[in-house]
């Protein structure tokens, strides 16, 4: 089934999402941002905000948007609601970036 879901994305999008997902996972491991059950997914809204802030020091705005889309996609693929999609504060933070 994962194969079928991945076929919904172009190869360029998959490559970008892989980079974004890897960056998010590495961020969570490095800064010890784990969910209530000890895993990275589902991430809290606070973790998403911290990740976006962290990225703002390293990459362009357009890359941040792609990486957040990758995090959203990762949550959905694993069967969780996306904190990116449901965050009240993230749009304001993105405007600030």
């Amino acid at each position: 089934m994962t194969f079928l879901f991945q076929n919904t994305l172009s190869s360029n999008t998959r490559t970008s999402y892989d980079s974004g997902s890897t960056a998010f996972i590495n961020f969570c491991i490095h800064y010890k941002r784990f969910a209530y059950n000890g895993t990275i997914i589902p991430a809290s809204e606070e973790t998403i905000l911290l990740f976006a802030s962290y990225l703002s020091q390293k990459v362009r705005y357009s890359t941040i948007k792609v990486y957040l889309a990758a995090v959203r996609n990762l949550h959905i693929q694993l069967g969780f609601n996306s904190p990116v999609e449901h965050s009240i504060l993230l749009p304001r933070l993105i405007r600030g970036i």
Side-chain angles (χ1 to χ4, degrees):
M1 190 164 47
T2 301
F3 174 75
L4 296 174
F5 283 125
Q6 288 196 343
N7 278 343
T8 64
L9 304 173
S10 73
S11 61
N12 288 341
T13 301
R14 271 196 311 273
T15 300
S16 296
Y17 280 12
D18 286 347
S19 295
S21 295
T22 299
F24 179 70
I25 291 166
N26 289 337
F27 168 83
C28 289
I29 291 169
H30 181 77
Y31 291 101
K32 297 176 178 47
R33 301 297 306 178
F34 299 103
Y36 60 89
N37 59 2
T39 64
I40 293 170
I41 304 295
S44 68
E45 180 181 31
E46 180 183 18
T47 296
I48 299 302
L49 296 171
L50 290 170
F51 180 58
S53 298
Y54 166 82
L55 290 175
S56 72
Q57 300 170 8
K58 302 196 172 288
V59 298
R60 296 179 310 195
Y61 172 83
S62 58
T63 302
I64 294 170
K65 296 286 279 184
V66 170
Y67 280 18
L68 290 173
V71 172
R72 176 186 177 276
N73 183 64
L74 182 62
H75 277 76
I76 291 169
Q77 278 189 319
L78 294 173
F80 292 97
N81 289 327
S82 170
V84 172
E85 198 170 353
H86 299 290
S87 174
I88 295 169
L89 297 174
L90 185 60
R92 295 184 81 182
L93 180 68
I94 295 297
R95 271 196 309 269
I97 292 171

